[in-house]
Protein backbone atom coordinates (compact mmCIF):
# COMPACT_ATOMS: atom_id res chain seq x y z
CA UNK A 1 0.00 0.00 0.00
CA UNK A 2 2.93 2.34 0.66
CA UNK A 3 3.91 1.97 -3.01
CA UNK A 4 0.42 2.91 -4.19
CA UNK A 5 0.38 5.97 -1.92
CA UNK A 6 3.81 7.06 -3.09
CA UNK A 7 2.87 6.50 -6.74
CA UNK A 8 -0.24 8.66 -6.34
CA UNK A 9 1.83 11.42 -4.75
CA UNK A 10 4.50 11.27 -7.48
CA UNK A 11 1.81 11.47 -10.17
CA UNK A 12 0.18 14.40 -8.40
CA UNK A 13 3.46 16.30 -8.28
CA UNK A 14 4.03 15.56 -11.96
CA UNK A 15 0.65 17.03 -12.90
CA UNK A 16 0.49 20.05 -10.66
CA UNK A 17 1.55 23.50 -11.79
CA UNK A 18 2.00 25.39 -8.54
CA UNK A 19 3.43 28.89 -8.48
CA UNK A 20 5.10 29.94 -5.24
CA UNK A 21 3.17 33.23 -4.77
CA UNK A 22 -0.15 31.37 -5.17
CA UNK A 23 0.96 28.64 -2.75
CA UNK A 24 1.92 31.24 -0.16
CA UNK A 25 -1.41 32.98 -0.63
CA UNK A 26 -3.25 29.68 -0.21
CA UNK A 27 -1.30 28.90 2.97
CA UNK A 28 -2.26 32.33 4.29
CA UNK A 29 -5.96 31.83 3.52
CA UNK A 30 -5.95 28.36 5.10
CA UNK A 31 -4.24 29.76 8.19
CA UNK A 32 -6.97 32.39 8.47
CA UNK A 33 -9.63 29.66 8.27
CA UNK A 34 -7.87 27.70 11.02
CA UNK A 35 -7.69 30.81 13.19
CA UNK A 36 -11.42 31.40 12.72
CA UNK A 37 -12.13 27.80 13.75
CA UNK A 38 -10.21 28.07 17.02
CA UNK A 39 -12.39 28.68 20.08
CA UNK A 40 -12.19 31.94 21.98
CA UNK A 41 -11.21 32.39 25.61
CA UNK A 42 -14.88 33.07 26.36
CA UNK A 43 -15.87 29.71 24.89
CA UNK A 44 -13.18 27.98 26.96
CA UNK A 45 -14.48 29.59 30.17
CA UNK A 46 -18.02 28.69 29.15
CA UNK A 47 -17.12 25.01 29.02
CA UNK A 48 -15.23 25.19 32.29
CA UNK A 49 -18.37 26.59 33.90
CA UNK A 50 -20.43 23.70 32.49
CA UNK A 51 -17.96 21.22 34.00
CA UNK A 52 -18.26 22.85 37.40
CA UNK A 53 -22.06 22.84 37.23
CA UNK A 54 -22.13 19.12 36.45
CA UNK A 55 -19.60 18.43 39.19
CA UNK A 56 -21.82 20.33 41.64
CA UNK A 57 -24.85 18.25 40.63
CA UNK A 58 -22.99 14.99 41.22
CA UNK A 59 -21.66 16.19 44.58
CA UNK A 60 -25.22 17.01 45.70
CA UNK A 61 -26.69 13.60 44.85
CA UNK A 62 -27.22 11.31 47.88
CA UNK A 63 -26.15 8.36 45.71
CA UNK A 64 -22.62 9.77 45.65
CA UNK A 65 -22.42 10.83 49.30
CA UNK A 66 -20.11 8.67 51.47
CA UNK A 67 -21.44 6.99 54.59
CA UNK A 68 -19.74 5.68 57.67
CA UNK A 69 -17.58 2.71 56.69
CA UNK A 70 -17.22 3.68 53.03
CA UNK A 71 -13.50 4.42 53.42
CA UNK A 72 -13.95 7.91 52.01
CA UNK A 73 -13.52 11.31 53.68
CA UNK A 74 -16.84 12.77 54.87
CA UNK A 75 -18.37 15.12 52.34
CA UNK A 76 -16.17 13.91 49.48
CA UNK A 77 -18.09 12.91 46.36
CA UNK A 78 -17.69 9.24 45.49
CA UNK A 79 -17.76 10.10 41.79
CA UNK A 80 -14.91 11.93 40.06
CA UNK A 81 -15.71 13.85 36.89
CA UNK A 82 -13.07 13.82 34.14
CA UNK A 83 -12.90 15.64 30.82
CA UNK A 84 -11.86 13.95 27.59
CA UNK A 85 -12.45 14.34 23.86
CA UNK A 86 -11.77 17.45 21.81
CA UNK A 87 -11.92 19.87 24.76
CA UNK A 88 -9.21 17.88 26.51
CA UNK A 89 -6.99 17.60 23.42
CA UNK A 90 -7.51 21.23 22.43
CA UNK A 91 -9.11 20.37 19.07
CA UNK A 92 -12.63 21.54 19.91
CA UNK A 93 -14.52 24.37 18.25
CA UNK A 94 -17.49 26.45 19.33
CA UNK A 95 -20.04 23.81 18.24
CA UNK A 96 -18.19 20.78 19.66
CA UNK A 97 -19.78 18.51 22.23
CA UNK A 98 -18.26 18.47 25.70
CA UNK A 99 -17.27 14.90 26.61
CA UNK A 100 -17.25 14.00 30.32
CA UNK A 101 -16.84 10.69 32.08
CA UNK A 102 -17.54 9.62 35.66
CA UNK A 103 -15.18 7.35 37.57
CA UNK A 104 -15.61 6.06 41.11
CA UNK A 105 -18.37 4.41 43.16
CA UNK A 106 -22.15 4.66 43.34
CA UNK A 107 -24.76 3.54 45.86
CA UNK A 108 -27.67 1.79 44.17
CA UNK A 109 -31.32 1.83 45.23
CA UNK A 110 -30.69 -1.07 47.64
CA UNK A 111 -27.98 0.86 49.45
CA UNK A 112 -25.14 -1.27 48.04
CA UNK A 113 -21.95 0.61 47.22
CA UNK A 114 -20.72 -0.43 43.78
CA UNK A 115 -17.55 0.19 41.82
CA UNK A 116 -18.64 1.75 38.54
CA UNK A 117 -16.29 -0.30 36.39
CA UNK A 118 -17.90 -3.52 37.64
CA UNK A 119 -21.57 -2.51 37.62
CA UNK A 120 -24.23 -4.52 35.81
CA UNK A 121 -25.95 -2.99 32.80
CA UNK A 122 -29.13 -2.57 34.85
CA UNK A 123 -27.31 -0.64 37.62
CA UNK A 124 -25.49 1.44 35.00
CA UNK A 125 -28.77 2.41 33.33
CA UNK A 126 -30.35 3.22 36.71
CA UNK A 127 -27.42 5.45 37.67
CA UNK A 128 -27.51 7.33 34.37
CA UNK A 129 -31.26 7.93 34.70
CA UNK A 130 -30.76 9.25 38.23
CA UNK A 131 -28.06 11.62 36.99
CA UNK A 132 -30.42 12.75 34.22
CA UNK A 133 -33.16 13.56 36.75
CA UNK A 134 -30.69 15.41 39.00
CA UNK A 135 -29.48 17.55 36.09
CA UNK A 136 -33.07 18.56 35.35
CA UNK A 137 -33.94 19.18 39.00
CA UNK A 138 -30.94 21.50 39.46
CA UNK A 139 -31.74 23.41 36.26
CA UNK A 140 -28.49 22.44 34.57
CA UNK A 141 -30.27 20.56 31.79
CA UNK A 142 -33.67 20.72 30.18
CA UNK A 143 -35.81 23.55 28.86
CA UNK A 144 -39.46 24.14 28.06
CA UNK A 145 -38.79 22.66 24.61
CA UNK A 146 -39.60 18.90 24.82
CA UNK A 147 -37.08 18.17 22.06
CA UNK A 148 -34.28 19.61 24.21
CA UNK A 149 -34.63 17.26 27.19
CA UNK A 150 -31.73 15.12 28.45
CA UNK A 151 -31.66 11.56 27.17
CA UNK A 152 -30.02 8.34 28.30
CA UNK A 153 -28.57 6.59 25.27
CA UNK A 154 -27.90 2.87 25.47
CA UNK A 155 -25.26 2.93 22.73
CA UNK A 156 -21.92 1.13 22.40
CA UNK A 157 -20.89 3.43 25.26
CA UNK A 158 -24.01 4.24 27.36
CA UNK A 159 -24.27 7.92 28.23
CA UNK A 160 -26.42 10.86 29.24
CA UNK A 161 -26.82 13.47 26.51
CA UNK A 162 -28.07 16.97 27.25
CA UNK A 163 -27.64 20.64 26.38
CA UNK A 164 -26.45 22.91 29.17
CA UNK A 165 -29.38 25.21 30.00
CA UNK A 166 -27.21 28.28 30.57
CA UNK A 167 -24.87 28.07 27.56
CA UNK A 168 -26.45 25.63 25.13
CA UNK A 169 -23.25 23.56 25.04
CA UNK A 170 -24.02 19.92 24.15
CA UNK A 171 -22.71 17.52 26.82
CA UNK A 172 -22.19 13.75 26.82
CA UNK A 173 -21.60 12.01 30.17
CA UNK A 174 -20.27 8.46 30.03
CA UNK A 175 -19.02 6.11 32.75
CA UNK A 176 -15.45 4.88 33.24
CA UNK A 177 -14.30 5.85 29.76
CA UNK A 178 -10.62 5.42 30.59
CA UNK A 179 -9.74 4.71 26.96
CA UNK A 180 -11.31 7.96 25.77
CA UNK A 181 -9.44 9.96 28.39
CA UNK A 182 -6.12 8.32 27.48
CA UNK A 183 -6.63 8.87 23.73
CA UNK A 184 -7.44 12.53 24.34
CA UNK A 185 -4.23 13.07 26.33
CA UNK A 186 -2.24 11.31 23.62
CA UNK A 187 -3.80 13.49 20.92
CA UNK A 188 -2.96 16.53 23.03
CA UNK A 189 0.70 15.52 22.79
CA UNK A 190 0.45 15.23 19.00
CA UNK A 191 -0.91 18.77 18.88
CA UNK A 192 1.99 19.95 21.04
CA UNK A 193 4.49 18.12 18.76
CA UNK A 194 3.68 20.25 15.71
CA UNK A 195 1.07 23.01 15.46
CA UNK A 196 0.39 21.99 11.86
CA UNK A 197 -1.26 18.81 13.12
CA UNK A 198 -3.93 20.93 14.79
CA UNK A 199 -4.33 23.03 11.64
CA UNK A 200 -4.59 19.99 9.38
CA UNK A 201 -7.11 18.36 11.73
CA UNK A 202 -9.33 21.45 11.85
CA UNK A 203 -9.31 21.81 8.06
CA UNK A 204 -10.02 18.15 7.33
CA UNK A 205 -12.75 18.01 9.98
CA UNK A 206 -14.34 21.16 8.55
CA UNK A 207 -14.22 19.62 5.08
CA UNK A 208 -15.79 16.40 6.40
CA UNK A 209 -18.53 18.30 8.26
CA UNK A 210 -19.35 20.52 5.29
CA UNK A 211 -19.78 17.44 3.10
CA UNK A 212 -21.56 15.44 5.84
CA UNK A 213 -18.76 12.89 6.06
CA UNK A 214 -18.32 13.26 9.83
CA UNK A 215 -21.65 11.69 10.81
CA UNK A 216 -20.93 8.17 12.13
CA UNK A 217 -24.61 7.49 12.81
CA UNK A 218 -25.21 7.99 9.07
CA UNK A 219 -22.49 5.55 8.04
CA UNK A 220 -19.63 8.00 7.55
CA UNK A 221 -16.42 8.66 9.48
CA UNK A 222 -16.15 9.44 13.19
CA UNK A 223 -13.71 12.04 14.51
CA UNK A 224 -11.31 9.44 15.92
CA UNK A 225 -10.91 7.83 12.47
CA UNK A 226 -10.21 11.28 10.97
CA UNK A 227 -7.53 11.73 13.65
CA UNK A 228 -5.94 8.40 12.73
CA UNK A 229 -5.97 9.24 9.04
CA UNK A 230 -4.09 12.43 9.82
CA UNK A 231 -1.67 10.59 12.07
CA UNK A 232 -0.97 8.28 9.14
CA UNK A 233 -0.41 11.31 6.91
CA UNK A 234 1.98 12.67 9.52
CA UNK A 235 3.93 9.41 9.84
CA UNK A 236 6.72 10.56 7.49
CA UNK A 237 7.11 13.69 9.62
CA UNK A 238 7.35 11.64 12.83
CA UNK A 239 9.87 9.35 11.13
CA UNK A 240 11.92 12.29 9.91
CA UNK A 241 11.92 13.78 13.42
CA UNK A 242 13.16 10.53 14.93
CA UNK A 243 15.59 9.77 12.11
CA UNK A 244 13.90 6.39 11.55
CA UNK A 245 13.10 6.80 7.86
CA UNK A 246 15.02 7.36 4.66
CA UNK A 247 11.91 7.32 2.47
CA UNK A 248 11.62 10.03 -0.16
CA UNK A 249 8.22 10.91 1.26
CA UNK A 250 9.96 12.07 4.45
CA UNK A 251 12.12 14.62 2.70
CA UNK A 252 11.21 18.22 3.29
CA UNK A 253 8.41 17.36 5.71
CA UNK A 254 9.37 20.10 8.11
CA UNK A 255 9.15 22.72 5.35
CA UNK A 256 5.68 21.74 4.10
CA UNK A 257 2.96 24.34 4.44
CA UNK A 258 -0.75 23.71 4.89
CA UNK A 259 -1.49 23.47 1.16
CA UNK A 260 1.21 20.81 0.76
CA UNK A 261 0.05 18.87 3.81
CA UNK A 262 -3.57 18.95 2.68
CA UNK A 263 -2.57 17.87 -0.80
CA UNK A 264 -0.71 14.91 0.69
CA UNK A 265 -3.72 13.98 2.79
CA UNK A 266 -6.26 14.02 -0.03
CA UNK A 267 -4.00 12.49 -2.67
CA UNK A 268 -2.78 9.60 -0.53
CA UNK A 269 -6.08 8.75 1.11
CA UNK A 270 -7.96 9.28 -2.11
CA UNK A 271 -5.76 6.56 -3.60
CA UNK A 272 -6.11 4.27 -0.58
CA UNK A 273 -9.87 4.63 -0.34
CA UNK A 274 -10.31 4.08 -4.05
CA UNK A 275 -8.35 0.82 -3.79
CA UNK A 276 -10.39 -0.31 -0.79
CA UNK A 277 -13.84 0.97 -1.61
CA UNK A 278 -14.05 1.16 -5.40
CA UNK A 279 -11.78 -1.67 -6.50
CA UNK A 280 -12.00 -3.93 -3.45
CA UNK A 281 -8.22 -4.38 -3.42
CA UNK A 282 -5.91 -4.72 -0.41
CA UNK A 283 -8.86 -5.23 1.94
CA UNK A 284 -6.63 -7.47 4.04
CA UNK A 285 -4.33 -4.53 4.87
CA UNK A 286 -4.79 -2.26 7.86
CA UNK A 287 -3.24 1.10 8.55
CA UNK A 288 -1.63 0.99 12.00
CA UNK A 289 -0.50 4.31 13.41
CA UNK A 290 0.98 2.37 16.33
CA UNK A 291 3.32 0.44 14.01
CA UNK A 292 3.59 3.34 11.60
CA UNK A 293 2.85 1.21 8.54
CA UNK A 294 0.35 -0.92 6.66
CA UNK A 295 0.19 -4.53 7.76
CA UNK A 296 -1.96 -7.64 7.44
CA UNK A 297 -1.66 -9.00 10.98
CA UNK A 298 -3.39 -8.29 14.27
CA UNK A 299 -6.49 -9.74 15.94
CA UNK A 300 -9.37 -10.80 13.75
CA UNK A 301 -12.15 -8.24 13.66
CA UNK A 302 -15.80 -9.15 14.22
CA UNK A 303 -16.87 -7.83 10.83
CA UNK A 304 -15.46 -7.17 7.39
CA UNK A 305 -15.15 -3.41 7.01
CA UNK A 306 -14.98 -1.12 4.01
CA UNK A 307 -11.95 0.70 5.43
CA UNK A 308 -9.40 -0.44 8.00
CA UNK A 309 -7.67 2.01 10.35
CA UNK A 310 -6.50 0.02 13.34
CA UNK A 311 -6.97 1.71 16.69
CA UNK A 312 -3.40 2.33 17.93
CA UNK A 313 -4.33 1.35 21.49
CA UNK A 314 -6.66 -1.55 20.72
CA UNK A 315 -5.73 -3.59 17.66
CA UNK A 316 -9.05 -5.45 17.95
CA UNK A 317 -10.93 -2.25 17.08
CA UNK A 318 -11.28 -0.52 13.71
CA UNK A 319 -11.36 3.27 14.09
CA UNK A 320 -13.17 3.49 10.73
CA UNK A 321 -15.82 0.90 11.63
CA UNK A 322 -18.64 3.42 11.11
CA UNK A 323 -17.97 3.78 7.38
CA UNK A 324 -20.68 1.38 6.39
CA UNK A 325 -22.51 2.18 3.16
CA UNK A 326 -21.60 2.15 -0.51
CA UNK A 327 -23.14 5.60 -0.97
CA UNK A 328 -21.08 7.27 1.77
CA UNK A 329 -17.87 5.50 0.71
CA UNK A 330 -18.37 6.53 -2.93
CA UNK A 331 -18.93 10.13 -1.84
CA UNK A 332 -15.76 10.04 0.26
CA UNK A 333 -13.65 8.71 -2.62
CA UNK A 334 -15.18 11.11 -5.14
CA UNK A 335 -14.64 14.16 -2.91
CA UNK A 336 -10.99 13.23 -2.23
CA UNK A 337 -10.50 12.87 -5.99
CA UNK A 338 -12.15 16.23 -6.69
CA UNK A 339 -9.98 18.04 -4.15
CA UNK A 340 -6.83 16.36 -5.49
CA UNK A 341 -7.79 17.31 -9.04
CA UNK A 342 -8.40 20.93 -8.08
CA UNK A 343 -5.12 21.09 -6.21
CA UNK A 344 -3.19 19.76 -9.19
CA UNK A 345 -4.82 22.03 -11.75
CA UNK A 346 -4.27 25.73 -12.31
CA UNK A 347 -1.88 27.52 -9.98
CA UNK A 348 -3.34 26.49 -6.62
CA UNK A 349 -5.41 29.65 -6.40
CA UNK A 350 -7.11 30.00 -3.00
CA UNK A 351 -10.52 30.64 -4.57
CA UNK A 352 -10.15 27.36 -6.50
CA UNK A 353 -9.28 25.32 -3.44
CA UNK A 354 -10.87 26.87 -0.37
CA UNK A 355 -14.43 26.44 -1.68
CA UNK A 356 -14.18 22.77 -0.66
CA UNK A 357 -14.19 23.93 2.96
CA UNK A 358 -17.16 26.26 2.52
CA UNK A 359 -19.67 24.91 0.03
CA UNK A 360 -21.44 21.57 0.60
CA UNK A 361 -21.64 20.74 -3.08
CA UNK A 362 -17.83 20.84 -3.36
CA UNK A 363 -17.88 20.61 -7.17
CA UNK A 364 -20.08 20.20 -10.17
CA UNK A 365 -19.94 16.44 -9.59
CA UNK A 366 -22.53 16.74 -6.81
Amino acid sequence: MELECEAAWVEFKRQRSWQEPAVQQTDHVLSRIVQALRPSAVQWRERQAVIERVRSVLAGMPDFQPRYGDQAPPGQCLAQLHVFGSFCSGLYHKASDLDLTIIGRWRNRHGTLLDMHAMSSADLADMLHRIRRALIARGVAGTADPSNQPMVINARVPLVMFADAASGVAVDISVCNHAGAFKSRFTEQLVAFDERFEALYRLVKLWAEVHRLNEPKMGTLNSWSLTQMQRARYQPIYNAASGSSSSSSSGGCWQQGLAELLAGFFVRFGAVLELWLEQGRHRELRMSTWLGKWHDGGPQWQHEYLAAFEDPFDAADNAARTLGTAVSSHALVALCTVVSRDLASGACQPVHFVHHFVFPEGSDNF
Side-chain angles (χ1 to χ4, degrees):
M1 191 71 90
E2 286 93 342
L3 294 176
E4 282 85 349
C5 290
E6 189 65 18
W9 181 241
V10 170
E11 178 62 18
F12 170 81
K13 291 195 293 184
R14 186 187 69 79
Q15 292 181 5
R16 74 182 179 186
S17 54
W18 287 14
Q19 301 297 324
E20 187 59 30
V23 175
Q24 292 178 356
Q25 187 181 12
T26 302
D27 282 342
H28 175 71
V29 172
L30 292 173
S31 296
R32 293 287 298 272
I33 293 175
V34 171
Q35 185 60 38
L37 292 171
R38 288 180 176 134
S40 66
V42 171
Q43 290 159 350
W44 182 87
R45 291 194 295 269
E46 188 176 65
R47 280 164 170 73
Q48 287 290 349
V50 174
I51 294 168
E52 291 308 313
R53 283 194 285 273
V54 174
R55 186 170 282 129
S56 176
V57 169
L58 296 177
M61 292 177 63
D63 306 2
F64 296 121
Q65 294 295 323
R67 298 179 184 175
Y68 179 78
D70 285 346
Q71 297 181 345
Q76 177 177 303
C77 184
L78 294 173
Q80 294 83 51
L81 188 67
H82 297 267
V83 185
F84 71 102
S86 60
F87 186 64
C88 176
S89 64
L91 295 176
Y92 71 105
H93 56 79
K94 63 180 181 181
S96 295
D97 293 351
L98 178 60
D99 295 306
L100 307 175
T101 192
I102 303 171
I103 298 171
R105 293 179 292 170
W106 173 70
R107 195 179 310 280
N108 68 10
R109 65 179 64 194
H110 305 296
T112 305
L113 191 62
L114 304 172
D115 286 322
M116 292 184 192
H117 70 273
M119 287 197 306
S120 67
S121 57
D123 280 323
L124 176 59
D126 187 25
M127 184 182 75
L128 290 175
H129 279 287
R130 287 170 179 263
I131 292 172
R132 170 188 173 275
R133 290 193 291 270
L135 289 166
I136 295 173
R138 290 282 298 272
V140 173
T143 64
D145 183 359
S147 65
N148 199 29
Q149 297 300 312
M151 298 182 295
V152 174
I153 306 297
N154 294 315
R156 187 170 181 261
V157 177
L159 46 81
V160 178
M161 297 177 62
F162 70 96
D164 177 62
S167 65
V169 171
V171 184
D172 293 347
I173 303 178
S174 60
V175 180
C176 292
N177 195 342
H178 298 281
F182 178 77
K183 291 174 182 178
S184 302
R185 291 300 182 188
F186 182 81
T187 304
E188 183 183 25
Q189 295 304 308
L190 294 180
V191 173
F193 174 78
D194 186 344
E195 64 181 9
R196 292 173 301 173
F197 182 91
E198 178 227 359
L200 181 62
Y201 176 85
R202 291 191 184 280
L203 289 169
V204 171
K205 186 171 174 63
L206 174 63
W207 169 81
E209 289 177 346
V210 164
H211 297 286
R212 303 189 68 180
L213 294 173
N214 188 207
E215 299 179 357
K217 293 179 181 178
M218 302 302 294
T220 59
L221 295 168
N222 58 36
S223 297
W224 181 238
S225 64
L226 289 173
T227 304
Q228 296 317 299
M229 290 168 72
Q230 286 163 87
R231 282 194 62 202
R233 168 66 187 99
Y234 249 68
Q235 199 64 50
I237 297 178
Y238 300 142
N239 293 343
S242 64
S244 61
S245 174
S246 58
S247 168
S248 61
S249 63
S250 299
C253 287
W254 289 112
Q255 288 73 43
Q256 290 180 359
L258 285 179
E260 186 90 356
L261 285 172
L262 275 171
F265 178 87
F266 286 113
V267 169
R268 288 182 169 90
F269 283 108
V272 168
L273 293 168
E274 182 177 6
L275 287 170
W276 272 342
L277 307 177
E278 302 291 292
Q279 302 180 25
R281 294 169 55 195
H282 300 307
R283 286 278 182 86
E284 77 284 357
L285 292 179
R286 307 175 182 183
M287 178 61 220
S288 170
T289 51
W290 177 265
L291 298 175
K293 64 179 183 179
W294 300 91
H295 74 115
D296 58 0
Q300 183 175 356
W301 289 340
Q302 294 181 350
H303 308 284
E304 183 177 345
Y305 296 103
L306 291 175
F309 291 97
E310 189 175 270
D311 190 302
F313 308 114
D314 182 3
D317 189 18
N318 178 14
R321 63 183 177 276
T322 57
L323 186 62
T325 68
V327 174
S328 60
S329 63
H330 171 73
L332 183 60
V333 173
L335 281 167
C336 283
T337 303
V338 167
V339 177
S340 300
R341 182 198 67 196
D342 282 3
L343 278 167
S345 64
C348 192
Q349 295 294 340
V351 70
H352 196 207
F353 176 50
V354 174
H355 74 282
H356 290 290
F357 300 91
V358 180
F359 300 113
E361 63 272 16
S363 78
D364 53 10
N365 286 17
F366 293 87

